[in-house]
Amino acid sequence: MSDRHRQRQLDYGSARYLSPEDVTRAGGFLAAMTFDVLAWHYDLASMYRAEIYLLPESDAEVPTDLDTLRHDYEELTRFFVGAATAGDAVALMLA
């Protein structure tokens, strides 16, 4: 991925600029990966214990079901494939 970063720090670090080539690679990767492979690796409890993600204090706010994961994965895949098809760059900011 491109190393160009914005100066402003967000919850998960600096924003990243993904070039059209980066977006094409990401879209291809997401489109080629099956949901079953992603779901096999999904372990929210382990991610929480390892402090990989900043999760809400309330467990009620944390989606744990695979339907939510599938929805988010499909939405992200559509976004990146669409952006790649259009030849667009993407600013990636996680907050």
Side-chain angles (χ1 to χ4, degrees), residues 13-36:
S14 300
R16 286 187 164 262
Y17 168 83
L18 302 181
S19 70
E21 294 79 17
D22 294 331
V23 173
T24 297
R25 279 194 303 275
F29 175 82
L30 289 167
M33 181 175 51
T34 66
F35 176 76
D36 290 337

mmCIF file with all atom_site columns, all heavy atoms in Angstrom, residues 13-36:
data_model
loop_
_atom_site.group_PDB
_atom_site.id
_atom_site.type_symbol
_atom_site.label_atom_id
_atom_site.label_alt_id
_atom_site.label_comp_id
_atom_site.label_asym_id
_atom_site.label_entity_id
_atom_site.label_seq_id
_atom_site.pdbx_PDB_ins_code
_atom_site.Cartn_x
_atom_site.Cartn_y
_atom_site.Cartn_z
_atom_site.occupancy
_atom_site.B_iso_or_equiv
_atom_site.pdbx_formal_charge
_atom_site.auth_seq_id
_atom_site.auth_comp_id
_atom_site.auth_asym_id
_atom_site.auth_atom_id
_atom_site.pdbx_PDB_model_num
ATOM 1   N N   . GLY A 1 13 ? -4.552  5.500   13.870  1.00 0.00 ? 13 GLY A N   1
ATOM 2   C CA  . GLY A 1 13 ? -3.353  5.974   13.198  1.00 0.00 ? 13 GLY A CA  1
ATOM 3   C C   . GLY A 1 13 ? -3.669  6.945   12.082  1.00 0.00 ? 13 GLY A C   1
ATOM 4   O O   . GLY A 1 13 ? -4.794  7.417   11.927  1.00 0.00 ? 13 GLY A O   1
ATOM 5   N N   . SER A 1 14 ? -2.680  7.240   11.297  1.00 0.00 ? 14 SER A N   1
ATOM 6   C CA  . SER A 1 14 ? -2.805  8.216   10.223  1.00 0.00 ? 14 SER A CA  1
ATOM 7   C C   . SER A 1 14 ? -3.709  7.716   9.104   1.00 0.00 ? 14 SER A C   1
ATOM 8   O O   . SER A 1 14 ? -3.815  6.521   8.862   1.00 0.00 ? 14 SER A O   1
ATOM 9   C CB  . SER A 1 14 ? -1.423  8.509   9.613   1.00 0.00 ? 14 SER A CB  1
ATOM 10  O OG  . SER A 1 14 ? -0.567  9.023   10.588  1.00 0.00 ? 14 SER A OG  1
ATOM 11  N N   . ALA A 1 15 ? -4.317  8.683   8.426   1.00 0.00 ? 15 ALA A N   1
ATOM 12  C CA  . ALA A 1 15 ? -5.088  8.348   7.226   1.00 0.00 ? 15 ALA A CA  1
ATOM 13  C C   . ALA A 1 15 ? -4.111  7.886   6.151   1.00 0.00 ? 15 ALA A C   1
ATOM 14  O O   . ALA A 1 15 ? -2.943  8.277   6.152   1.00 0.00 ? 15 ALA A O   1
ATOM 15  C CB  . ALA A 1 15 ? -5.866  9.566   6.757   1.00 0.00 ? 15 ALA A CB  1
ATOM 16  N N   . ARG A 1 16 ? -4.589  7.063   5.247   1.00 0.00 ? 16 ARG A N   1
ATOM 17  C CA  . ARG A 1 16 ? -3.749  6.566   4.153   1.00 0.00 ? 16 ARG A CA  1
ATOM 18  C C   . ARG A 1 16 ? -4.399  6.890   2.823   1.00 0.00 ? 16 ARG A C   1
ATOM 19  O O   . ARG A 1 16 ? -5.608  6.832   2.683   1.00 0.00 ? 16 ARG A O   1
ATOM 20  C CB  . ARG A 1 16 ? -3.570  5.054   4.229   1.00 0.00 ? 16 ARG A CB  1
ATOM 21  C CG  . ARG A 1 16 ? -2.651  4.601   5.313   1.00 0.00 ? 16 ARG A CG  1
ATOM 22  C CD  . ARG A 1 16 ? -2.423  3.099   5.166   1.00 0.00 ? 16 ARG A CD  1
ATOM 23  N NE  . ARG A 1 16 ? -1.291  2.704   5.934   1.00 0.00 ? 16 ARG A NE  1
ATOM 24  C CZ  . ARG A 1 16 ? -0.074  2.540   5.445   1.00 0.00 ? 16 ARG A CZ  1
ATOM 25  N NH1 . ARG A 1 16 ? 0.173   2.711   4.176   1.00 0.00 ? 16 ARG A NH1 1
ATOM 26  N NH2 . ARG A 1 16 ? 0.919   2.169   6.221   1.00 0.00 ? 16 ARG A NH2 1
ATOM 27  N N   . TYR A 1 17 ? -3.568  7.195   1.868   1.00 0.00 ? 17 TYR A N   1
ATOM 28  C CA  . TYR A 1 17 ? -4.002  7.397   0.488   1.00 0.00 ? 17 TYR A CA  1
ATOM 29  C C   . TYR A 1 17 ? -3.739  6.096   -0.254  1.00 0.00 ? 17 TYR A C   1
ATOM 30  O O   . TYR A 1 17 ? -2.620  5.598   -0.276  1.00 0.00 ? 17 TYR A O   1
ATOM 31  C CB  . TYR A 1 17 ? -3.211  8.531   -0.155  1.00 0.00 ? 17 TYR A CB  1
ATOM 32  C CG  . TYR A 1 17 ? -3.396  8.622   -1.648  1.00 0.00 ? 17 TYR A CG  1
ATOM 33  C CD1 . TYR A 1 17 ? -4.492  9.285   -2.180  1.00 0.00 ? 17 TYR A CD1 1
ATOM 34  C CD2 . TYR A 1 17 ? -2.492  8.026   -2.517  1.00 0.00 ? 17 TYR A CD2 1
ATOM 35  C CE1 . TYR A 1 17 ? -4.682  9.364   -3.550  1.00 0.00 ? 17 TYR A CE1 1
ATOM 36  C CE2 . TYR A 1 17 ? -2.673  8.091   -3.898  1.00 0.00 ? 17 TYR A CE2 1
ATOM 37  C CZ  . TYR A 1 17 ? -3.770  8.766   -4.403  1.00 0.00 ? 17 TYR A CZ  1
ATOM 38  O OH  . TYR A 1 17 ? -3.957  8.843   -5.755  1.00 0.00 ? 17 TYR A OH  1
ATOM 39  N N   . LEU A 1 18 ? -4.801  5.516   -0.823  1.00 0.00 ? 18 LEU A N   1
ATOM 40  C CA  . LEU A 1 18 ? -4.645  4.321   -1.643  1.00 0.00 ? 18 LEU A CA  1
ATOM 41  C C   . LEU A 1 18 ? -4.759  4.741   -3.102  1.00 0.00 ? 18 LEU A C   1
ATOM 42  O O   . LEU A 1 18 ? -5.791  5.266   -3.529  1.00 0.00 ? 18 LEU A O   1
ATOM 43  C CB  . LEU A 1 18 ? -5.724  3.292   -1.309  1.00 0.00 ? 18 LEU A CB  1
ATOM 44  C CG  . LEU A 1 18 ? -5.790  2.827   0.153   1.00 0.00 ? 18 LEU A CG  1
ATOM 45  C CD1 . LEU A 1 18 ? -6.891  1.783   0.327   1.00 0.00 ? 18 LEU A CD1 1
ATOM 46  C CD2 . LEU A 1 18 ? -4.464  2.270   0.614   1.00 0.00 ? 18 LEU A CD2 1
ATOM 47  N N   . SER A 1 19 ? -3.707  4.525   -3.846  1.00 0.00 ? 19 SER A N   1
ATOM 48  C CA  . SER A 1 19 ? -3.691  4.879   -5.266  1.00 0.00 ? 19 SER A CA  1
ATOM 49  C C   . SER A 1 19 ? -4.676  3.992   -6.021  1.00 0.00 ? 19 SER A C   1
ATOM 50  O O   . SER A 1 19 ? -5.108  2.952   -5.497  1.00 0.00 ? 19 SER A O   1
ATOM 51  C CB  . SER A 1 19 ? -2.278  4.683   -5.832  1.00 0.00 ? 19 SER A CB  1
ATOM 52  O OG  . SER A 1 19 ? -1.985  3.292   -5.889  1.00 0.00 ? 19 SER A OG  1
ATOM 53  N N   . PRO A 1 20 ? -5.024  4.349   -7.250  1.00 0.00 ? 20 PRO A N   1
ATOM 54  C CA  . PRO A 1 20 ? -5.889  3.464   -8.037  1.00 0.00 ? 20 PRO A CA  1
ATOM 55  C C   . PRO A 1 20 ? -5.329  2.039   -8.136  1.00 0.00 ? 20 PRO A C   1
ATOM 56  O O   . PRO A 1 20 ? -6.093  1.070   -8.112  1.00 0.00 ? 20 PRO A O   1
ATOM 57  C CB  . PRO A 1 20 ? -5.954  4.152   -9.401  1.00 0.00 ? 20 PRO A CB  1
ATOM 58  C CG  . PRO A 1 20 ? -5.788  5.607   -9.083  1.00 0.00 ? 20 PRO A CG  1
ATOM 59  C CD  . PRO A 1 20 ? -4.787  5.616   -7.944  1.00 0.00 ? 20 PRO A CD  1
ATOM 60  N N   . GLU A 1 21 ? -4.009  1.902   -8.203  1.00 0.00 ? 21 GLU A N   1
ATOM 61  C CA  . GLU A 1 21 ? -3.400  0.576   -8.267  1.00 0.00 ? 21 GLU A CA  1
ATOM 62  C C   . GLU A 1 21 ? -3.608  -0.181  -6.942  1.00 0.00 ? 21 GLU A C   1
ATOM 63  O O   . GLU A 1 21 ? -3.885  -1.380  -6.940  1.00 0.00 ? 21 GLU A O   1
ATOM 64  C CB  . GLU A 1 21 ? -1.905  0.683   -8.586  1.00 0.00 ? 21 GLU A CB  1
ATOM 65  C CG  . GLU A 1 21 ? -1.610  1.230   -9.963  1.00 0.00 ? 21 GLU A CG  1
ATOM 66  C CD  . GLU A 1 21 ? -1.724  2.763   -10.058 1.00 0.00 ? 21 GLU A CD  1
ATOM 67  O OE1 . GLU A 1 21 ? -1.721  3.462   -9.002  1.00 0.00 ? 21 GLU A OE1 1
ATOM 68  O OE2 . GLU A 1 21 ? -1.836  3.266   -11.181 1.00 0.00 ? 21 GLU A OE2 1
ATOM 69  N N   . ASP A 1 22 ? -3.462  0.540   -5.805  1.00 0.00 ? 22 ASP A N   1
ATOM 70  C CA  . ASP A 1 22 ? -3.710  -0.071  -4.497  1.00 0.00 ? 22 ASP A CA  1
ATOM 71  C C   . ASP A 1 22 ? -5.164  -0.535  -4.385  1.00 0.00 ? 22 ASP A C   1
ATOM 72  O O   . ASP A 1 22 ? -5.449  -1.616  -3.872  1.00 0.00 ? 22 ASP A O   1
ATOM 73  C CB  . ASP A 1 22 ? -3.439  0.928   -3.363  1.00 0.00 ? 22 ASP A CB  1
ATOM 74  C CG  . ASP A 1 22 ? -1.993  1.340   -3.248  1.00 0.00 ? 22 ASP A CG  1
ATOM 75  O OD1 . ASP A 1 22 ? -1.101  0.556   -3.606  1.00 0.00 ? 22 ASP A OD1 1
ATOM 76  O OD2 . ASP A 1 22 ? -1.754  2.477   -2.782  1.00 0.00 ? 22 ASP A OD2 1
ATOM 77  N N   . VAL A 1 23 ? -6.078  0.307   -4.861  1.00 0.00 ? 23 VAL A N   1
ATOM 78  C CA  . VAL A 1 23 ? -7.503  0.002   -4.795  1.00 0.00 ? 23 VAL A CA  1
ATOM 79  C C   . VAL A 1 23 ? -7.814  -1.224  -5.652  1.00 0.00 ? 23 VAL A C   1
ATOM 80  O O   . VAL A 1 23 ? -8.590  -2.095  -5.252  1.00 0.00 ? 23 VAL A O   1
ATOM 81  C CB  . VAL A 1 23 ? -8.343  1.227   -5.222  1.00 0.00 ? 23 VAL A CB  1
ATOM 82  C CG1 . VAL A 1 23 ? -9.816  0.878   -5.333  1.00 0.00 ? 23 VAL A CG1 1
ATOM 83  C CG2 . VAL A 1 23 ? -8.133  2.376   -4.235  1.00 0.00 ? 23 VAL A CG2 1
ATOM 84  N N   . THR A 1 24 ? -7.195  -1.323  -6.816  1.00 0.00 ? 24 THR A N   1
ATOM 85  C CA  . THR A 1 24 ? -7.402  -2.479  -7.688  1.00 0.00 ? 24 THR A CA  1
ATOM 86  C C   . THR A 1 24 ? -6.930  -3.757  -7.002  1.00 0.00 ? 24 THR A C   1
ATOM 87  O O   . THR A 1 24 ? -7.621  -4.783  -7.027  1.00 0.00 ? 24 THR A O   1
ATOM 88  C CB  . THR A 1 24 ? -6.681  -2.285  -9.029  1.00 0.00 ? 24 THR A CB  1
ATOM 89  O OG1 . THR A 1 24 ? -7.258  -1.148  -9.687  1.00 0.00 ? 24 THR A OG1 1
ATOM 90  C CG2 . THR A 1 24 ? -6.795  -3.498  -9.923  1.00 0.00 ? 24 THR A CG2 1
ATOM 91  N N   . ARG A 1 25 ? -5.765  -3.708  -6.351  1.00 0.00 ? 25 ARG A N   1
ATOM 92  C CA  . ARG A 1 25 ? -5.260  -4.885  -5.626  1.00 0.00 ? 25 ARG A CA  1
ATOM 93  C C   . ARG A 1 25 ? -6.196  -5.259  -4.474  1.00 0.00 ? 25 ARG A C   1
ATOM 94  O O   . ARG A 1 25 ? -6.506  -6.429  -4.269  1.00 0.00 ? 25 ARG A O   1
ATOM 95  C CB  . ARG A 1 25 ? -3.847  -4.637  -5.106  1.00 0.00 ? 25 ARG A CB  1
ATOM 96  C CG  . ARG A 1 25 ? -2.782  -4.827  -6.153  1.00 0.00 ? 25 ARG A CG  1
ATOM 97  C CD  . ARG A 1 25 ? -1.389  -4.906  -5.556  1.00 0.00 ? 25 ARG A CD  1
ATOM 98  N NE  . ARG A 1 25 ? -1.010  -3.744  -4.759  1.00 0.00 ? 25 ARG A NE  1
ATOM 99  C CZ  . ARG A 1 25 ? -0.495  -2.619  -5.266  1.00 0.00 ? 25 ARG A CZ  1
ATOM 100 N NH1 . ARG A 1 25 ? -0.314  -2.494  -6.559  1.00 0.00 ? 25 ARG A NH1 1
ATOM 101 N NH2 . ARG A 1 25 ? -0.167  -1.627  -4.478  1.00 0.00 ? 25 ARG A NH2 1
ATOM 102 N N   . ALA A 1 26 ? -6.643  -4.258  -3.709  1.00 0.00 ? 26 ALA A N   1
ATOM 103 C CA  . ALA A 1 26 ? -7.533  -4.527  -2.575  1.00 0.00 ? 26 ALA A CA  1
ATOM 104 C C   . ALA A 1 26 ? -8.865  -5.092  -3.057  1.00 0.00 ? 26 ALA A C   1
ATOM 105 O O   . ALA A 1 26 ? -9.385  -6.066  -2.490  1.00 0.00 ? 26 ALA A O   1
ATOM 106 C CB  . ALA A 1 26 ? -7.762  -3.253  -1.767  1.00 0.00 ? 26 ALA A CB  1
ATOM 107 N N   . GLY A 1 27 ? -9.432  -4.513  -4.103  1.00 0.00 ? 27 GLY A N   1
ATOM 108 C CA  . GLY A 1 27 ? -10.692 -5.009  -4.644  1.00 0.00 ? 27 GLY A CA  1
ATOM 109 C C   . GLY A 1 27 ? -10.566 -6.429  -5.155  1.00 0.00 ? 27 GLY A C   1
ATOM 110 O O   . GLY A 1 27 ? -11.450 -7.266  -4.931  1.00 0.00 ? 27 GLY A O   1
ATOM 111 N N   . GLY A 1 28 ? -9.458  -6.723  -5.826  1.00 0.00 ? 28 GLY A N   1
ATOM 112 C CA  . GLY A 1 28 ? -9.224  -8.080  -6.323  1.00 0.00 ? 28 GLY A CA  1
ATOM 113 C C   . GLY A 1 28 ? -9.074  -9.078  -5.193  1.00 0.00 ? 28 GLY A C   1
ATOM 114 O O   . GLY A 1 28 ? -9.604  -10.192 -5.250  1.00 0.00 ? 28 GLY A O   1
ATOM 115 N N   . PHE A 1 29 ? -8.363  -8.690  -4.147  1.00 0.00 ? 29 PHE A N   1
ATOM 116 C CA  . PHE A 1 29 ? -8.172  -9.565  -2.994  1.00 0.00 ? 29 PHE A CA  1
ATOM 117 C C   . PHE A 1 29 ? -9.511  -9.861  -2.328  1.00 0.00 ? 29 PHE A C   1
ATOM 118 O O   . PHE A 1 29 ? -9.830  -11.018 -2.034  1.00 0.00 ? 29 PHE A O   1
ATOM 119 C CB  . PHE A 1 29 ? -7.210  -8.917  -1.991  1.00 0.00 ? 29 PHE A CB  1
ATOM 120 C CG  . PHE A 1 29 ? -7.068  -9.698  -0.727  1.00 0.00 ? 29 PHE A CG  1
ATOM 121 C CD1 . PHE A 1 29 ? -6.207  -10.783 -0.661  1.00 0.00 ? 29 PHE A CD1 1
ATOM 122 C CD2 . PHE A 1 29 ? -7.792  -9.351  0.394   1.00 0.00 ? 29 PHE A CD2 1
ATOM 123 C CE1 . PHE A 1 29 ? -6.078  -11.512 0.514   1.00 0.00 ? 29 PHE A CE1 1
ATOM 124 C CE2 . PHE A 1 29 ? -7.676  -10.079 1.577   1.00 0.00 ? 29 PHE A CE2 1
ATOM 125 C CZ  . PHE A 1 29 ? -6.814  -11.163 1.635   1.00 0.00 ? 29 PHE A CZ  1
ATOM 126 N N   . LEU A 1 30 ? -10.291 -8.817  -2.065  1.00 0.00 ? 30 LEU A N   1
ATOM 127 C CA  . LEU A 1 30 ? -11.586 -9.005  -1.406  1.00 0.00 ? 30 LEU A CA  1
ATOM 128 C C   . LEU A 1 30 ? -12.529 -9.850  -2.250  1.00 0.00 ? 30 LEU A C   1
ATOM 129 O O   . LEU A 1 30 ? -13.235 -10.717 -1.729  1.00 0.00 ? 30 LEU A O   1
ATOM 130 C CB  . LEU A 1 30 ? -12.225 -7.649  -1.095  1.00 0.00 ? 30 LEU A CB  1
ATOM 131 C CG  . LEU A 1 30 ? -11.557 -6.854  0.028   1.00 0.00 ? 30 LEU A CG  1
ATOM 132 C CD1 . LEU A 1 30 ? -12.062 -5.420  0.034   1.00 0.00 ? 30 LEU A CD1 1
ATOM 133 C CD2 . LEU A 1 30 ? -11.785 -7.521  1.369   1.00 0.00 ? 30 LEU A CD2 1
ATOM 134 N N   . ALA A 1 31 ? -12.552 -9.590  -3.556  1.00 0.00 ? 31 ALA A N   1
ATOM 135 C CA  . ALA A 1 31 ? -13.450 -10.330 -4.440  1.00 0.00 ? 31 ALA A CA  1
ATOM 136 C C   . ALA A 1 31 ? -13.056 -11.801 -4.546  1.00 0.00 ? 31 ALA A C   1
ATOM 137 O O   . ALA A 1 31 ? -13.917 -12.674 -4.715  1.00 0.00 ? 31 ALA A O   1
ATOM 138 C CB  . ALA A 1 31 ? -13.473 -9.688  -5.827  1.00 0.00 ? 31 ALA A CB  1
ATOM 139 N N   . ALA A 1 32 ? -11.766 -12.099 -4.435  1.00 0.00 ? 32 ALA A N   1
ATOM 140 C CA  . ALA A 1 32 ? -11.291 -13.479 -4.571  1.00 0.00 ? 32 ALA A CA  1
ATOM 141 C C   . ALA A 1 32 ? -11.457 -14.287 -3.283  1.00 0.00 ? 32 ALA A C   1
ATOM 142 O O   . ALA A 1 32 ? -11.530 -15.509 -3.329  1.00 0.00 ? 32 ALA A O   1
ATOM 143 C CB  . ALA A 1 32 ? -9.827  -13.489 -4.999  1.00 0.00 ? 32 ALA A CB  1
ATOM 144 N N   . MET A 1 33 ? -11.518 -13.605 -2.146  1.00 0.00 ? 33 MET A N   1
ATOM 145 C CA  . MET A 1 33 ? -11.630 -14.304 -0.867  1.00 0.00 ? 33 MET A CA  1
ATOM 146 C C   . MET A 1 33 ? -13.091 -14.678 -0.617  1.00 0.00 ? 33 MET A C   1
ATOM 147 O O   . MET A 1 33 ? -13.972 -13.847 -0.762  1.00 0.00 ? 33 MET A O   1
ATOM 148 C CB  . MET A 1 33 ? -11.136 -13.424 0.282   1.00 0.00 ? 33 MET A CB  1
ATOM 149 C CG  . MET A 1 33 ? -11.199 -14.118 1.617   1.00 0.00 ? 33 MET A CG  1
ATOM 150 S SD  . MET A 1 33 ? -10.481 -13.171 2.977   1.00 0.00 ? 33 MET A SD  1
ATOM 151 C CE  . MET A 1 33 ? -11.262 -11.599 2.827   1.00 0.00 ? 33 MET A CE  1
ATOM 152 N N   . THR A 1 34 ? -13.329 -15.900 -0.226  1.00 0.00 ? 34 THR A N   1
ATOM 153 C CA  . THR A 1 34 ? -14.701 -16.293 0.093   1.00 0.00 ? 34 THR A CA  1
ATOM 154 C C   . THR A 1 34 ? -15.042 -15.845 1.510   1.00 0.00 ? 34 THR A C   1
ATOM 155 O O   . THR A 1 34 ? -14.153 -15.719 2.369   1.00 0.00 ? 34 THR A O   1
ATOM 156 C CB  . THR A 1 34 ? -14.890 -17.814 -0.001  1.00 0.00 ? 34 THR A CB  1
ATOM 157 O OG1 . THR A 1 34 ? -14.111 -18.439 1.031   1.00 0.00 ? 34 THR A OG1 1
ATOM 158 C CG2 . THR A 1 34 ? -14.485 -18.336 -1.376  1.00 0.00 ? 34 THR A CG2 1
ATOM 159 N N   . PHE A 1 35 ? -16.320 -15.636 1.750   1.00 0.00 ? 35 PHE A N   1
ATOM 160 C CA  . PHE A 1 35 ? -16.747 -15.267 3.098   1.00 0.00 ? 35 PHE A CA  1
ATOM 161 C C   . PHE A 1 35 ? -16.404 -16.367 4.097   1.00 0.00 ? 35 PHE A C   1
ATOM 162 O O   . PHE A 1 35 ? -16.038 -16.078 5.235   1.00 0.00 ? 35 PHE A O   1
ATOM 163 C CB  . PHE A 1 35 ? -18.244 -14.953 3.136   1.00 0.00 ? 35 PHE A CB  1
ATOM 164 C CG  . PHE A 1 35 ? -18.701 -14.662 4.531   1.00 0.00 ? 35 PHE A CG  1
ATOM 165 C CD1 . PHE A 1 35 ? -18.419 -13.438 5.117   1.00 0.00 ? 35 PHE A CD1 1
ATOM 166 C CD2 . PHE A 1 35 ? -19.362 -15.619 5.275   1.00 0.00 ? 35 PHE A CD2 1
ATOM 167 C CE1 . PHE A 1 35 ? -18.798 -13.171 6.422   1.00 0.00 ? 35 PHE A CE1 1
ATOM 168 C CE2 . PHE A 1 35 ? -19.746 -15.358 6.582   1.00 0.00 ? 35 PHE A CE2 1
ATOM 169 C CZ  . PHE A 1 35 ? -19.472 -14.130 7.155   1.00 0.00 ? 35 PHE A CZ  1
ATOM 170 N N   . ASP A 1 36 ? -16.492 -17.609 3.689   1.00 0.00 ? 36 ASP A N   1
ATOM 171 C CA  . ASP A 1 36 ? -16.196 -18.715 4.608   1.00 0.00 ? 36 ASP A CA  1
ATOM 172 C C   . ASP A 1 36 ? -14.767 -18.642 5.138   1.00 0.00 ? 36 ASP A C   1
ATOM 173 O O   . ASP A 1 36 ? -14.517 -18.953 6.304   1.00 0.00 ? 36 ASP A O   1
ATOM 174 C CB  . ASP A 1 36 ? -16.434 -20.057 3.930   1.00 0.00 ? 36 ASP A CB  1
ATOM 175 C CG  . ASP A 1 36 ? -17.905 -20.316 3.680   1.00 0.00 ? 36 ASP A CG  1
ATOM 176 O OD1 . ASP A 1 36 ? -18.752 -19.715 4.381   1.00 0.00 ? 36 ASP A OD1 1
ATOM 177 O OD2 . ASP A 1 36 ? -18.218 -21.114 2.781   1.00 0.00 ? 36 ASP A OD2 1
#
